[in-house]
């Protein structure tokens, strides 16, 4: 006589995986979750009691116009009437252009002045002076010089985020241990070999520090620039237009988009740094 014994299925079920993940990370998830929910609850309470005229967070869903924006971010009716996905994408495209240009100029110039003390002394006062100018102060200058909103916005991003990249790159180059330079001289490394084997590996943590600071500044700068520059598709102008029409709930939703995208940009540069320089935080 034979009998069959049912075998238990091997492998973890999705529920088991979720429970296992929760047990491991609950201490890291609960505090920020409680903090965020508490903040939203207090905000909603202050709004409901009339202490502040600012709509509560629930207005993002209860307001019909904002609910449509939330549920249909990809709509495009032409002109400036676009969903928040396209508004955000337009701003990100400007950021990508200005930030990329700033990275190229900042890293190359930082290496130049970092390896040449005389040039560093000559240009450092100019760099320190220009980096103190607020991003919005560059907007009218850019508009007068370039005559168009799009290149003016890209220039504002560039001039805002080039300085942290340049200065951090310069400091990274200057912090290369003298022993490394002595070894390069003994081995008679070519300039290309010196850059690849000594300069870039030593300066990369500083360069990425500048890049990470700059991506946040670039995102802040484009929002400010688009608020001032009228008639262009972008999340900044969307906020200003909503304010002009007193659609406060739309402003709140746009701010959520801005914060979320800014966080993703920062984490993306941090991930790239970790991928290129393992072990660096």
């Amino acid at each position: 006589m034979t009998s069959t014994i049912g075998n238990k299925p091997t492998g973890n079920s999705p529920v088991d995986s979720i429970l296992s993940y929760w047990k491991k990370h609950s201490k890291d998830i609960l505090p920020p979750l409680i903090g965020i929910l508490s903040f939203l609850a207090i905000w909603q309470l202050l709004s409901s009691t009339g202490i502040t005229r600012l709509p509560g967070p629930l207005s993002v869903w209860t307001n019909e116009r904002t609910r449509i924006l939330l549920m249909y971010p990809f709509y495009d009716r032409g002109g400036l009437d676009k969903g928040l996905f396209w508004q955000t994408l337009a701003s990100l495209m400007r950021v990508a252009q200005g930030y990329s240009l700033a990275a190229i100029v900042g890293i190359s110039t930082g290496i130049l002045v970092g390896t040449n003390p005389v040039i560093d002394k000559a240009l450092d006062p100019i760099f320190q002076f220009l980096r103190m100018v607020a991003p919005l102060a560059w907007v009218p200058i850019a508009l007068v010089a370039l005559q168009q909103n799009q290149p003016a916005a890209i220039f504002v991003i560039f001039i805002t985020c080039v300085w942290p990249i340049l200065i951090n790159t310069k400091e990274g180059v200057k912090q290369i241990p003298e022993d490394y330079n002595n070894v390069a001289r003994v081995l008679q490394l070519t300039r290309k070999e010196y850059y690849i084997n000594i300069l870039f590996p030593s300066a990369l943590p500083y360069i990425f520090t500048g890049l990470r600071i700059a991506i946040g500044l670039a995102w802040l700068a484009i929002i400010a620039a688009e608020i001032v520059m009228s008639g262009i598709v972008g999340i900044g102008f969307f906020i200003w237009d909503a304010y002009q029409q007193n659609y406060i709930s739309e402003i709140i939703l746009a701010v959520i988009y801005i914060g979320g995208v800014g966080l993703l940009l920062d984490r993306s540069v941090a991930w790239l740094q970790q991928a290129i320089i393992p072990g660096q935080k």
Side-chain angles (χ1 to χ4, degrees):
M1 178 181 291
T2 59
S3 62
T4 58
I5 300 175
N7 293 325
K8 293 183 179 179
T10 59
N12 293 329
S13 67
V15 176
D16 292 335
S17 299
I18 294 172
L19 291 175
S20 177
Y21 182 85
W22 176 256
K23 289 178 181 179
K24 289 181 180 179
H25 301 282
S26 60
K27 292 182 180 179
D28 296 325
I29 297 175
L30 272 177
L33 184 62
I34 293 173
I36 292 172
L37 292 176
S38 300
F39 169 75
L40 294 176
I42 293 173
W43 177 7
Q44 185 64 43
L45 179 64
L46 293 175
S47 177
S48 301
T49 55
I51 296 177
T52 176
R53 295 181 59 187
L54 189 68
L58 290 178
S59 65
V60 171
W61 181 256
T62 57
N63 183 280
E64 183 179 357
R65 286 181 55 91
T66 313
R67 186 167 63 250
I68 292 173
L69 286 170
L70 182 63
M71 295 178 64
Y72 305 101
F74 300 101
Y75 82 83
D76 185 354
R77 300 192 183 107
L80 299 177
D81 191 6
K82 301 179 186 295
L84 280 173
F85 172 82
W86 302 112
Q87 303 282 359
T88 306
L89 182 63
S91 298
L92 279 173
M93 294 298 292
R94 298 184 186 104
V95 167
Q97 296 176 67
Y99 180 77
S100 299
L101 183 60
I104 294 170
V105 173
I107 293 173
S108 57
T109 307
I111 292 173
L112 174 65
V113 298
T115 54
N116 294 272
V118 176
I119 297 179
D120 182 23
K121 290 181 181 178
L123 296 181
D124 186 68
I126 299 175
F127 295 157
Q128 298 299 335
F129 174 81
L130 291 176
R131 78 182 184 90
M132 292 298 177
V133 179
L136 279 178
W138 290 107
V139 174
I141 297 174
L143 287 172
V144 170
L146 302 174
Q147 297 295 312
Q148 294 181 16
N149 285 340
Q150 181 75 0
I154 294 172
F155 173 79
V156 170
I157 298 166
F158 165 79
I159 202 68
T160 300
C161 60
V162 70
W163 308 119
I165 299 174
L166 190 158
I167 292 171
N168 277 278
T169 301
K170 179 186 74 171
E171 289 302 316
V173 172
K174 292 168 71 174
Q175 293 299 323
I176 296 175
E178 192 59 32
D179 290 345
Y180 291 7
N181 294 324
N182 292 335
V183 170
R185 284 190 287 267
V186 170
L187 296 178
Q188 297 182 344
L189 297 182
T190 64
R191 183 175 293 273
K192 179 181 179 182
E193 291 172 333
Y194 173 75
Y195 280 16
I196 293 175
N197 296 296
I198 293 179
L199 187 145
F200 279 113
S202 299
L204 266 179
Y206 291 85
I207 294 174
F208 269 106
T209 298
L211 290 172
R212 193 169 178 182
I213 294 171
I215 193 65
L217 292 176
W219 189 235
L220 293 175
I222 189 58
I223 302 304
E226 288 176 350
I227 288 177
V228 177
M229 298 176 183
S230 60
I232 60 174
V233 176
I235 193 71
F237 179 72
F238 176 87
I239 287 177
W240 182 247
D241 186 58
Y243 168 74
Q244 295 280 37
Q245 301 183 61
N246 201 33
Y247 298 145
I248 309 302
S249 298
E250 294 185 13
I251 298 175
I252 295 172
L253 180 59
V255 167
I256 295 172
Y257 265 76
I258 291 169
V261 171
L263 180 62
L264 288 176
L265 290 174
D266 178 77
R267 291 295 183 266
S268 297
V269 177
W271 175 85
L272 183 62
Q273 178 180 0
Q274 188 66 26
I276 294 177
I277 322 173
Q280 287 286 336
K281 294 184 179 181

